[in-house]
Amino acid sequence: MRTTTNRTLTAALALTLSLSLAACGSADQEGAGVTTEQTTSAETTSAETTSDDADDTSDDADDTSDDAEDTSDDADDTGDTTTGAGGEDLTATALAAIATAEAEAGGTAYEIDDQDDDGTWEVDVAVDDRSVEVTVSADGATVEATEDDDLDEDDRAALDAATITLVDAITTAVTEVDGVLDDAELEEEDGSFFWEVSVDRTSNGAGDDDVEVRVDVTTGDVVEVD
């Protein structure tokens, strides 16, 4: 009788232990499933974030490309201004050369020739009854040489009548036709004096599209464009 009871208890304990182990296994599997799902979800979120970052980087690259194109356009616009092959503003350097020549000779400039092959400017300056030809460096800052000569009577008479300077006439002329200074001088026609300024309409002053602009020596008005 005791043997039968012991076997019954043993069987009951074995069944209880088996059920407990099965329950633990199920819980572990469910926990593993949750962990797997969480890991997968995290990986998906990370991938989406990485994709978004890549899109943002691409957008930034597009913006940078647009900025570069804008800068290029600005550079092109700048290249369309009245500059020489070295990038200098020819009119500005010519005006600087006039100032340098007048300071050197101590007189009034009345003529400037276009740049020679070596880039220098030749500026004629009236000093009393003399004319001093001053050769100025390409940048308009340094005197390279000077040479004295007699002042022509017509040039003396024109200077006496003029209230508009060579610098003023050049500024007026290049603004009128939007170009680059080539040369400028005093001229007379039928008893009337005027500044004749040759302006090149090409962007670097090296073309053949020259325009002659006549500026009145007393009023500063443009009287003719040819």
Side-chain angles (χ1 to χ4, degrees):
M1 186 66 174
R2 287 182 180 177
T3 301
T4 301
T5 301
N6 289 337
R7 288 179 180 175
T8 300
L9 290 174
T10 300
L13 289 172
L15 178 60
T16 301
L17 180 60
S18 177
L19 290 174
S20 297
L21 291 175
C24 290
S26 177
D28 290 341
Q29 288 177 355
E30 289 178 358
V34 171
T35 302
T36 301
E37 289 176 359
Q38 291 175 341
T39 302
T40 302
S41 176
E43 290 176 350
T44 301
T45 302
S46 177
E48 289 176 352
T49 301
T50 302
S51 177
D52 290 341
D53 290 342
D55 289 341
D56 291 340
T57 302
S58 177
D59 290 341
D60 291 341
D62 290 341
D63 291 340
T64 302
S65 177
D66 291 340
D67 291 342
E69 289 177 0
D70 291 340
T71 302
S72 177
D73 290 340
D74 291 341
D76 290 340
D77 291 341
T78 303
D80 290 338
T81 60
T82 54
T83 58
E88 73 278 11
D89 184 325
L90 291 177
T91 300
T93 57
L95 298 183
I98 291 172
T100 298
E102 288 182 330
E104 173 68 20
T108 302
Y110 65 93
E111 183 173 337
I112 182 169
D113 288 336
D114 57 346
Q115 288 183 319
D116 292 334
D117 292 338
D118 60 358
T120 58
W121 302 92
E122 290 183 356
V123 184
D124 291 336
V125 182
V127 183
D128 297 327
D129 61 347
R130 297 181 299 115
S131 176
V132 181
E133 182 181 86
V134 183
T135 302
V136 183
S137 59
D139 62 1
T142 306
V143 174
E144 302 286 344
T146 62
E147 182 179 347
D148 283 14
D149 199 354
D150 293 332
L151 181 64
D152 185 271
E153 290 183 2
D154 289 339
D155 290 334
R156 178 75 270 171
L159 281 170
D160 289 342
T163 57
I164 300 301
T165 67
L166 176 60
V167 168
D168 292 336
I170 290 171
T171 302
T172 297
V174 297
T175 301
E176 177 72 17
V177 298
D178 189 20
V180 181
L181 173 69
D182 191 16
D183 56 55
E185 60 185 341
L186 274 172
E187 290 289 351
E188 180 271 334
E189 186 175 287
D190 299 330
S192 297
F193 301 109
F194 54 87
W195 294 104
E196 184 169 272
V197 184
S198 179
V199 180
D200 189 343
R201 290 186 181 181
T202 59
S203 63
N204 61 4
D208 298 323
D209 189 16
D210 289 348
V211 179
E212 303 298 333
V213 182
R214 292 185 175 183
V215 179
D216 190 281
V217 297
T218 58
T219 66
D221 294 334
V222 173
V223 295
E224 185 178 344
V225 177
D226 185 13

